[in-house]
Amino acid sequence: MAYILVKENGSEQKVDITGNISIGKKSDNNIVLKEITSSRRHCNIISSNNSFALEDLGSRNGTFLNGRKIGTREILKNGDIIQIGKCYIKFLNVKNNGAAEIVPERDSQLKTIVESKDAKSQKPKELSPQQVAAAKKHLELKKVLHEKLLDKLDLKKMGGDVSDEQLRKQTAAALEELIRTENIVPPTVNKKGLIKEITDESVGLGPLEDLLADDDIDEIMVNNFDLIYVEKKGKIEITDKWFTSNEQVIQAIRRIIAPLGRRIDETSPLVDARLKDGSRVNAIISPLAISGPTLTIRKFSKTPFTIQDLINFGSMTPKAAQLLEMSVSERKNILISGGTGSGKTTLLNVIASFIPETERIVTIEDAAELQLPQTHVVTLEAKPPNMDGKGAIPIRKLLVNSLRMRPDRIVVGECRGGEALDMLQAMNTGHDGSMTTLHANTCRDALSRLETLVLMAGMDLPISAIRNQIASAIDMIVQTQRLKDGTRRITSISELVGMEGDMITLQEVFYFDQRGYDDDGKIIGEMVCSGAVPSFVFDLKDRGIPVDMKIFEKTD
């Protein structure tokens, strides 16, 4: 007799398997889940002749077996752990003598998974009531001093006449005098720290200054003047830093975008920009942002990552790195696919560094982020419309123009629209070794999205023609993913083999084998080789170029 133990939201139920078991969010399933990431029809447990299989029904977020995402169907063994979001299901198959076979490894894995995921929740940490009260009191003090500072100094007028450094010095001096004469700052308050905070907010980016200076922070998210979150090492947490008001948030946004000739107001409430160091900025205000001005900053790495860094982070293995370096050197066209924040641009920057120094590279981006070490690099950045809504120069126009600039390689930061067609045509007309990124969850999804983007070009092309273009243009697809523990990994490297009927065929060379969780809730796994060898490797061997074939030995 077989049964399952379902653990969800701290409760556990036992369900005997007397036939097929349907699992999902919809109420007519045999097991109805409350898990928010589950699908209406998520998966089935199929019973046939005393054997059992787990079948994923095309769920949005996938079904995991013993910590590894399954394909369509896999055989279940006694003690297996099925995971759907934060719901864990243990499969047990009882022997004829009435005893279930003991499988200590999987029992231990269930304990590790459940304890680590439940106890080490991904929820942002919250401030205590005492911290909130202290922050509010400190905020009121800052408001009073800021208003007095505005009465004392005309910061706007001063800003036009002096440098940023002089403006900071004059503002700090005025605040010192205010604190000395007004006698409103309690002796317990750090006066130097207070002066720095108000100076940052008056002539800089306020509380963001310290966050930008913190190398451990990858992303800054301002949801309101008193709600500032950061991402540290893949984990989101709230900070105890506040702006004085939402108006101060908007002023900080304007300080960021002013040097770029952009604006933000009610008629133009959405803007993309970048800081001087290259950090990517997105801001959105009322009437689009109901809760208050929202600012998101993806920080720019001061020192570009190298391939060895990604290996050290566990994002890839040395063998996978060798394949990528070989692909770039052999001028293979590469598409990097992944979700938001999965490390696409970082990987693009790393593999583009393999391009030989002797080649001319043209990079095209919405906001310039790539930091290539080569000297012969031309960097192009798209231009948004001016205050009258005119003068925009999109990526597509830059891409067409780049073909007249005698590039050896074209690197497009991200394909989001009709420029995908121009990119494919460039790859098919002598610009081998070019590369780009797009948003997709799998290598197969990347092909479907690429088809959609090509259609956005406005050309009435049949799907078969688009697929033929893709199959002849793209050589390799690299899939990146941000896993549930916050780590960023390469999860697949696939070769486009060609067309089979009206379908593009893929051959997966490397894939990420997820094996479970450690005691800290971190995912255990690594990239392994499927045993497949890319076709261009045989071409290298035919040309007498030595290739280490151990790279492609199948991993047990």
Side-chain angles (χ1 to χ4, degrees):
M1 178 182 175
Y3 63 93
I4 54 177
L5 296 175
V6 183
K7 181 179 177 65
E8 184 180 23
N9 294 334
S11 62
E12 185 173 284
Q13 62 171 316
K14 176 183 175 183
V15 179
D16 293 332
I17 303 177
T18 55
N20 293 343
I21 300 288
S22 61
I23 303 172
K25 197 179 293 183
K26 199 172 180 183
S27 59
D28 59 354
N29 285 293
N30 298 112
I31 298 175
V32 180
L33 300 179
K34 296 178 182 178
E35 168 59 39
I36 192 170
T37 62
S38 65
S39 299
R40 291 164 63 83
R41 303 280 186 191
H42 199 99
C43 62
N44 286 337
I45 295 177
I46 300 170
S47 172
S48 177
N49 298 324
N50 204 33
S51 65
F52 303 88
L54 175 64
E55 178 185 42
D56 183 83
L57 300 176
S59 62
R60 172 187 259 185
N61 295 301
T63 304
F64 290 78
L65 182 63
N66 300 323
R68 179 177 56 82
K69 189 175 182 179
I70 70 168
T72 304
R73 183 181 295 191
E74 290 206 18
I75 299 298
L76 286 171
K77 299 182 287 296
N78 182 50
D80 276 347
I81 308 300
I82 303 166
Q83 180 188 351
I84 301 170
K86 293 181 181 178
C87 173
Y88 304 93
I89 302 171
K90 184 174 183 179
F91 171 80
L92 292 166
N93 195 2
V94 180
K95 290 185 172 182
N96 291 333
N97 61 9
E101 181 185 355
I102 302 300
V103 187
E105 295 85 1
R106 292 201 181 100
D107 283 351
S108 173
Q109 185 184 44
L110 175 64
K111 184 175 185 293
T112 299
I113 291 174
V114 172
E115 287 182 353
S116 65
K117 295 296 281 184
D118 286 352
K120 303 179 185 297
S121 171
Q122 298 295 311
K123 287 183 180 179
K125 71 175 186 180
E126 296 181 355
L127 298 178
S128 67
Q130 293 81 5
Q131 287 176 305
V132 173
K136 286 183 176 179
K137 189 174 180 180
H138 190 68
L139 179 63
E140 289 303 319
L141 178 60
K142 283 171 59 179
K143 281 182 178 179
V144 172
L145 284 171
H146 191 267
E147 288 172 1
K148 290 182 178 295
L149 177 67
L150 292 177
D151 291 337
K152 189 176 183 66
L153 297 176
D154 188 343
L155 295 174
K156 288 185 179 179
K157 186 176 180 180
M158 288 172 59
D161 300 330
V162 298
S163 66
D164 287 348
E165 186 178 353
Q166 289 174 320
L167 184 58
R168 279 182 171 274
K169 286 181 179 178
Q170 291 180 23
T171 304
L175 282 167
E176 284 182 11
E177 185 181 346
L178 279 173
I179 291 173
R180 186 173 61 253
T181 57
E182 295 292 332
N183 197 29
I184 58 174
V185 179
T188 55
V189 172
N190 181 343
K191 295 180 177 59
K192 286 187 178 180
L194 182 62
I195 289 171
K196 181 184 181 301
E197 286 180 40
I198 300 175
T199 301
D200 285 344
E201 199 160 322
S202 300
V203 298
L205 300 181
L208 304 185
E209 297 278 358
D210 290 338
L211 302 180
L212 287 167
D214 188 340
D215 292 335
D216 289 334
I217 293 175
D218 299 318
E219 198 140 4
I220 302 167
M221 295 151 277
V222 181
N223 293 358
N224 206 342
F225 78 95
D226 58 351
L227 278 176
I228 302 177
Y229 291 85
V230 296
E231 180 189 318
K232 277 189 176 184
K233 299 177 181 178
K235 301 285 182 70
I236 293 177
E237 58 185 54
I238 193 169
T239 71
D240 58 358
K241 295 184 178 295
W242 291 6
F243 280 91
T244 305
S245 65
N246 278 331
E247 181 57 34
Q248 289 300 316
V249 180
I250 295 174
Q251 289 302 324
I253 295 170
R254 287 176 177 155
R255 288 191 187 102
I256 292 170
I257 64 176
L260 304 175
R262 303 182 189 181
R263 66 170 182 169
I264 191 164
D265 52 36
E266 287 188 1
T267 59
S268 181
L270 177 65
V271 68
D272 283 308
R274 57 185 167 86
L275 297 173
K276 291 178 182 178
D277 67 354
S279 297
R280 187 192 304 171
V281 177
N282 174 269
I284 182 167
I285 64 172
S286 177
L288 300 183
I290 304 300
S291 60
T294 301
L295 176 64
T296 309
I297 300 176
R298 175 78 59 80
K299 285 181 62 180
F300 196 69
S301 176
K302 294 173 183 171
T303 305
F305 289 128
T306 65
I307 195 73
Q308 190 58 50
D309 288 325
L310 298 191
I311 293 171
N312 294 342
F313 296 154
S315 297
M316 69 171 80
T317 60
K319 287 184 177 181
Q322 284 180 270
L323 172 59
L324 291 176
E325 185 171 4
M326 196 186 307
S327 301
V328 174
S329 299
E330 289 304 306
R331 300 185 65 87
K332 297 302 162 186
N333 294 321
I334 299 174
L335 174 65
I336 299 175
S337 163
T340 301
S342 61
K344 298 186 299 299
T345 304
T346 298
L347 179 61
L348 178 64
N349 200 74
V350 167
I351 66 172
S353 67
F354 294 141
I355 298 173
E357 182 71 36
T358 55
E359 297 186 17
R360 177 176 169 86
I361 308 166
V362 177
T363 68
I364 304 170
E365 301 172 85
D366 265 330
E369 292 182 89
L370 296 175
Q371 295 174 284
L372 302 188
Q374 297 90 336
T375 54
H376 200 168
V377 178
V378 178
T379 302
L380 304 180
E381 184 178 62
K383 179 179 178 294
N386 60 21
M387 296 179 72
D388 297 323
K390 299 177 182 179
I393 301 178
I395 281 183
R396 186 172 188 188
K397 193 167 185 178
L398 291 177
L399 182 51
V400 172
N401 184 78
S402 71
L403 300 178
R404 306 186 188 104
M405 299 173 67
R406 199 259 173 225
D408 289 306
R409 312 249 191 164
I410 299 172
V411 181
V412 177
E414 183 181 347
C415 281
R416 297 179 184 173
E419 66 271 7
L421 175 59
D422 303 294
M423 187 74 198
L424 292 177
Q425 290 176 336
M427 289 174 168
N428 274 321
T429 54
H431 299 91
D432 296 335
S434 296
M435 51 192 80
T436 187
T437 77
L438 57 72
H439 280 80
N441 292 324
T442 66
C443 293
R444 177 61 61 183
D445 287 348
L447 296 176
S448 300
R449 177 150 172 77
L450 198 51
E451 290 177 19
T452 303
L453 296 179
V454 170
L455 290 171
M456 291 171 66
M459 305 289 288
D460 191 16
L461 296 173
I463 290 295
S464 58
I466 295 173
R467 288 178 180 170
N468 276 307
Q469 278 258 38
I470 293 171
S472 60
I474 305 294
D475 296 302
M476 307 290 290
I477 300 180
V478 184
Q479 184 67 37
T480 62
Q481 188 175 340
R482 181 175 173 179
L483 303 181
K484 291 186 177 180
D485 62 354
T487 56
R488 296 173 174 90
R489 305 285 184 100
I490 295 175
T491 54
S492 177
I493 302 177
S494 298
E495 179 192 25
L496 265 73
V497 179
M499 296 288 294
E500 189 173 305
D502 62 348
M503 288 291 293
I504 300 172
T505 55
L506 291 172
Q507 174 179 256
E508 191 168 51
V509 184
F510 282 91
Y511 64 92
F512 182 71
D513 182 21
Q514 183 173 324
R515 297 163 188 162
Y517 296 85
D518 64 16
D519 292 338
D520 295 322
K522 292 290 185 182
I523 290 174
I524 300 171
E526 66 175 353
M527 293 199 74
V528 298
C529 188
S530 66
V533 180
S535 56
F536 76 85
V537 172
F538 297 109
D539 295 336
L540 290 175
K541 294 188 63 134
D542 291 342
R543 285 155 47 197
I545 299 174
V547 179
D548 182 6
M549 297 304 290
K550 290 182 179 179
I551 297 172
F552 307 106
E553 289 180 355
K554 185 173 182 179
T555 308
D556 295 329

